[in-house]
Amino acid sequence: MAVLLVQAGPALSDDDPTGSGRREPRLLGPAQIRQLAAELAVRPTKTLGQNFVHDANTVRRIVAESGVGPDDVVLEVGPGLGSLTLALLGAAGRVIAVEIDPTLAGRLPTTVAEYAPAQAESFEVITADAMSVRRADLPVAPTALVANLPYNVAVPVLLHLLGEFPSIATSLVMVQAEVADRLAAGPGGRVYGVPSVKARYYGTVKRAGAVGRNVFWPEPKVESGLVRVDRTHDQSDDPAVRAKVFAVIDAAFAQRRKTMRSALATWAGSPVEAERRLRAAGIDPGVRGERLGVDDFVRLASVD
């Protein structure tokens, strides 16, 4: 796993609208995105979920919705050519980016030095698959996650990072609109399911806006949405406890039209044992999983 540390480049004549002496980063537009892609001979791939944001107002809005400030260490996944990275550097105290594509990761330090020289020493990039990143791989513990997640692995990446880094207090991620709806859905909703409950294990989840297709290059075939997760620490950070809860959630929704007594029969060992555990947890055995909240699953997982 390679870590590239960015050194500050020569100062540019960026504006300093706050009068703080800290020059604001310049942001990338459509012309700069295409120029960088041509320079690197990058052709966005569907496999890696590469759709680069080229609209400055969109990345500004994402940063504003995230609420990050000078005290935050932001973990960004899939920075690509650096559009969101530059906007984050203008607000956060430090940004650690995780990029799976070595070509893109190798160019990011230069981009930051060119467009955000005053913030260059506050940036690191790690060349790695986000699903393999562990606490020991990061130089410091992140306090926030802000990312345009690859849509084909968005939910697994989000859940992995929330589980691996209890220090992440807030998360603001851009995902496919359909996935955003599932993550933010509440009990009883049509799209409420495994992602909804597991995300709520970590805290409150809500939709934070929509993003149009025209702000990406290449333009995706799906709509996008923003999802915010605010960690509450209501549930245990112990991986073993979390694994038990998640196993119950998976079993409950594997056949979502079945009652919990039937759906959990294999997990519990038999329908009779499933009913015993459900009643011990104060849950009606005849209810379906889509009617239960995360606290119900936590109680159920703790029953012996």
Side-chain angles (χ1 to χ4, degrees), residues 54-283:
H54 60 64
D55 180 66
N57 287 330
T58 297
V59 295
R60 288 191 189 100
R61 179 160 68 95
I62 292 171
V63 173
E65 289 286 353
S66 73
V68 299
D71 294 331
D72 282 303
V73 176
V74 176
L75 176 61
E76 183 191 6
V77 173
L81 294 170
S83 298
L84 179 57
T85 308
L86 294 170
L88 285 169
L89 284 167
R94 189 170 182 176
V95 176
I96 303 169
V98 176
E99 174 56 60
I100 193 173
D101 187 322
T103 300
L104 296 177
R107 183 57 169 83
L108 274 171
T110 303
T111 301
V112 169
E114 291 175 352
Y115 286 82
Q119 292 81 17
E121 291 184 347
S122 302
F123 175 73
E124 294 110 300
V125 57
I126 298 173
T127 307
D129 182 342
M131 286 296 294
S132 69
V133 172
R134 297 292 183 265
R135 298 181 202 183
D137 298 325
L138 270 57
V140 293
T143 62
L145 168 66
V146 184
N148 173 17
L149 293 178
Y151 288 2
N152 54 340
V153 292
V155 171
V157 168
L158 175 62
L159 295 178
H160 165 67
L161 295 175
L162 288 174
E164 185 64 25
F165 300 100
S167 59
I168 293 177
T170 61
S171 301
L172 195 286
V173 295
M174 179 156 56
V175 297
Q176 184 176 339
E178 180 181 345
V179 174
D181 290 340
R182 290 176 181 171
L183 285 167
R190 182 177 59 84
V191 295
Y192 180 73
V194 171
S196 322
V197 189
K198 289 184 176 179
R200 276 172 173 71
Y201 183 87
Y202 298 102
T204 60
V205 186
K206 67 176 184 179
R207 280 292 299 262
V211 180
R213 303 183 189 187
N214 61 332
V215 304
F216 295 95
W217 177 76
E219 189 171 305
K221 298 183 184 298
V222 296
E223 299 296 328
S224 303
L226 299 175
V227 175
R228 178 168 174 138
V229 182
D230 288 282
R231 192 183 292 266
T232 59
H233 290 288
D234 289 342
Q235 313 300 346
S236 174
D237 290 329
D238 185 335
V241 173
R242 182 172 63 245
K244 289 179 65 175
V245 176
F246 282 14
V248 181
I249 296 170
D250 288 334
F253 287 95
Q255 302 179 70
R256 63 181 297 145
R257 299 314 301 166
K258 287 190 174 183
T259 65
M260 288 291 282
R261 183 181 189 277
S262 298
L264 298 182
T266 300
W267 168 79
S270 70
V272 173
E273 178 61 13
E275 180 168 345
R276 183 192 73 80
R277 295 192 183 196
L278 285 160
R279 293 194 182 281
I283 299 171

